[in-house]
Amino acid sequence: MARGVTAELLEQNIRFVGVPGMSAIAKSLSIGLDVRTECAVQAIRRNDDRWHVEDAEGAMYGPFDALIVTAPPLQTLALVGGHSTMMALALSRVRMSPCWAVILQLKEMLQVAFDAAFVHESPLAWIARNDSKPQRQTGNCWTLHTTEDWSLVHLDQSADDVTRTLVDEFWRTVAQPTQLPEFVAAHRWRYARPIEPLPQRCLLDSAIGLAACGDWCGGPRIEGAFLSGLAAANGLLDGIGERATIS
């Protein structure tokens, strides 16, 4: 194993993944729902105690009894800040760290003794073999994540420059003969990880039927995001029930 690499002992650390891809979880939950994609929301408005959503093209959606915002904290603040002072104050305290990510598809299988590893003394923090997950269709595919410090310094660097640097670092890390990749691409993940998540599981203003949630509430990672969304939904449902009882 190359210097600076710590192998992830997968037999001792159980990992759950979506099959055949991570989006399968959301797709399953969305069955029967009216889901709109490729729709950039630019504003939310409240009229006659109901919510309306405006997209970047000026189209309006609604009315809705309640609204949950799941965008990163800064983007959520831009939407909800004018509607809930309590939520705005909490959102203004959240800080997120960035991460550059690279997807690398190789022609030949790497002869390494791990499917995932933490990396030290490197711009890379984590590397993982995607095709080791069940039912993946693309073989010899690796994901590379950078450290927070390196990402902050190189946040505005071009994707091409980042790709070259991280692919070179990947080959140094795995200590294998280099290959020309079949496919490689870099993505700037500007709001990757919460530096210090809020202690509450979600932000909720039940009086106006508004909630915000994400991995920046109550704990990071996908588990935290799921529990945050569940808490937001339950809180809004309780609030709708209370308002219906009062009316």
Side-chain angles (χ1 to χ4, degrees):
M1 186 179 299
R3 178 179 63 85
V5 179
T6 302
E8 178 75 10
L9 301 178
L10 296 179
E11 68 275 11
Q12 296 181 14
N13 294 274
I14 297 174
R15 307 287 183 178
F16 294 94
V17 298
V19 292
M22 292 303 293
S23 64
I25 300 171
K27 288 178 180 177
S28 176
L29 292 172
S30 68
I31 293 175
L33 302 179
D34 181 8
V35 178
R36 310 292 176 92
T37 60
E38 303 297 326
C39 180
V41 173
Q42 71 173 6
I44 59 175
R45 309 187 189 284
R46 187 163 173 80
N47 299 311
D48 299 324
D49 295 330
R50 306 290 294 280
W51 286 104
H52 299 261
V53 176
E54 181 181 355
D55 70 16
E57 304 299 323
M60 299 294 294
Y61 305 88
F64 305 109
D65 293 322
L67 188 65
I68 299 178
V69 182
T70 63
L74 190 62
Q75 296 167 331
T76 297
L77 177 59
L79 293 174
V80 311
H83 300 281
S84 174
T85 302
M86 175 273 294
M87 293 176 66
L89 288 173
L91 285 162
S92 66
R93 296 194 296 266
V94 182
R95 297 290 180 268
M96 302 289 288
S97 64
C99 175
W100 272 104
V102 168
I103 189 75
L104 177 66
Q105 185 178 352
L106 305 174
K107 295 181 180 179
E108 300 177 13
M109 185 71 70
L110 286 187
Q111 300 303 313
V112 293
F114 55 86
D115 290 326
F118 295 107
V119 186
H120 305 288
E121 302 173 14
S122 167
L124 296 173
W126 166 258
I127 59 176
R129 189 198 304 266
N130 280 353
D131 52 289
S132 67
K133 301 172 186 176
Q135 299 184 30
R136 266 36 184 191
Q137 302 301 315
T138 303
N140 303 329
C141 190
W142 286 79
T143 297
L144 323 178
H145 284 178
T146 60
T147 66
E148 176 186 336
D149 290 343
W150 194 91
S151 296
L152 283 169
V153 172
H154 298 86
L155 187 61
D156 295 320
Q157 196 169 353
S158 72
D160 288 341
D161 288 343
V162 167
T163 297
R164 282 191 291 269
T165 298
L166 298 184
V167 169
D168 288 346
E169 194 65 32
F170 173 77
W171 290 117
R172 280 192 288 271
T173 298
V174 298
Q176 296 287 310
T178 61
Q179 303 178 29
L180 287 176
E182 289 191 328
F183 175 81
V184 62
H187 175 72
R188 179 171 43 217
W189 193 3
R190 192 175 293 274
Y191 305 111
R193 306 180 188 93
I195 295 173
E196 186 175 349
L198 294 177
Q200 57 267 53
R201 184 58 76 183
C202 70
L203 297 180
L204 177 66
D205 195 331
S206 57
I208 58 174
L210 181 63
C213 58
D215 60 357
W216 43 272
C217 280
R221 300 192 179 187
I222 191 170
E223 295 90 345
F226 177 86
L227 293 173
S228 180
L230 192 62
N234 287 333
L236 286 177
L237 289 172
D238 290 343
I240 290 172
E242 290 175 4
R243 291 198 299 272
T245 301
I246 293 173
S247 62

